[in-house]
Amino acid sequence: MKSLVFGANGQVGQALLHSLAPLGAVVAATRDGELVGGGRCESVDLANGTGIGSLIERVRPDVVVNAAAYTAVDKAEQEPDLAFRINAEAPAAMARECQRLSIPLVHYSTDYVFDGRGHRPYTEADDTDPLGVYGESKRAGEVALEESGARYLVLRTAWVYGLHGHNFLKTMLRLGAERDELRIVADQVGSPTPAWLIADATARILDQGLKSSGVRHLTAQGQGSWFDFASAIMELAVASGRLARRPALVPIATSEYPTPAHRPAYSVLDTAGLRAEYGLELPEWRQALAATLA
């Protein structure tokens, strides 16, 4: 199986290059045609949309996996056009070409399509209501795939972190080494999910073949706040010798850490549908964190 991976330099993209390799050839695509680890790859700028269809037609993959996204949640409030070009218009162009060539498309979305006012894990059938531009643009991408006629799978995930790029885990490890005290938001609840888990699950899904088109939820199991996540990071980092000592963690409210974009207060996703359809076993988020640090 030949896979074409857009966004190969991102957190999930880099993990996909490893996870998809056992299934066959993997063709990477980045904005500048260079890979973070060195080497050249396909080049395509999703911000202007040109070249997406021609790249897919030239490569003729067995599956397209779109791990590219505009993820600067706060900056999106000032750059809505760019966010929509990358998160909605680019996936729409991919879907059109995939539909024309009968190629399945896997695309990633986010918990930010929900307003966070719920009190139980969101299912795929729940109404969406994004709070900001980022969530709106990602929901528009979902709708574009739904309306394209292509064979597709949207995997909504949340609180993504990993070994590469900018993310909460790396920030906490850096700040934990620099400061004696950290103030961490404690009233936003979600499911921290490592990039490798998303990539490994994607590979297992593709190895079986897409069983249906639609939206499915993919996160680690369980839930916790950012404060819980930070606490677990510090505990494991000290135990493994990554940090010499644990800084004091102070729980704060979202109102004490204002940001340009509103975040959903509760964004736990129900993964039962995906687990049942593909027989996936997803680890509890603390187990996944321990595996990541190891």
Side-chain angles (χ1 to χ4, degrees), residues 159 168 172 181-192 223-235 246-254 256 265 285-286 289:
W159 292 32
F168 190 78
M172 287 298 102
E181 180 180 286
L182 299 175
R183 294 162 56 82
I184 310 295
V185 171
D187 58 357
Q188 294 176 25
V189 176
S191 303
Q223 64 183 50
S225 67
W226 290 112
F227 181 83
D228 295 329
F229 190 15
S231 298
I233 291 170
M234 297 308 169
E235 178 182 344
R246 173 175 175 160
L249 300 181
V250 179
I252 64 171
T254 298
E256 297 177 69
W285 71 264
R286 291 178 180 84
L289 173 62

Side-chain angles (χ1 to χ4, degrees), residues 51-111:
I52 294 174
S54 60
L55 175 60
I56 295 173
E57 182 173 26
R58 176 165 55 81
V59 174
R60 291 287 176 129
D62 298 298
V63 62
V64 172
V65 183
N66 180 34
Y70 182 108
T71 57
V73 176
D74 291 321
K75 199 174 181 181
E77 297 299 311
Q78 285 74 49
E79 297 181 335
D81 291 343
L82 181 59
F84 271 84
R85 286 201 300 272
I86 296 174
N87 290 345
E89 294 173 21
M94 295 176 199
R96 287 193 296 270
E97 191 65 14
C98 285
Q99 190 278 331
R100 188 178 74 84
L101 298 175
S102 298
I103 298 172
L105 170 62
V106 176
H107 174 71
Y108 301 99
S109 192
T110 174
D111 56 315

Side-chain angles (χ1 to χ4, degrees), residues 30 62 79 95-97 120 123 140 170 175 179 225-226 231 247 270-271 275-276 278:
T30 66
D62 298 298
E79 297 181 335
R96 287 193 296 270
E97 191 65 14
R120 49 113 180 120
T123 72
K170 294 182 69 177
L175 294 179
R179 303 181 185 179
S225 67
W226 290 112
S231 298
D270 187 332
T271 63
R275 287 185 284 118
Y278 291 96

Side-chain angles (χ1 to χ4, degrees), residues 4 27-31 33-34 40-44 55 58-59:
L4 172 58
V27 180
T30 66
R31 184 174 58 183
E34 297 184 359
R40 299 288 302 173
C41 64
E42 298 290 345
S43 174
V44 61
L55 175 60
R58 176 165 55 81
V59 174

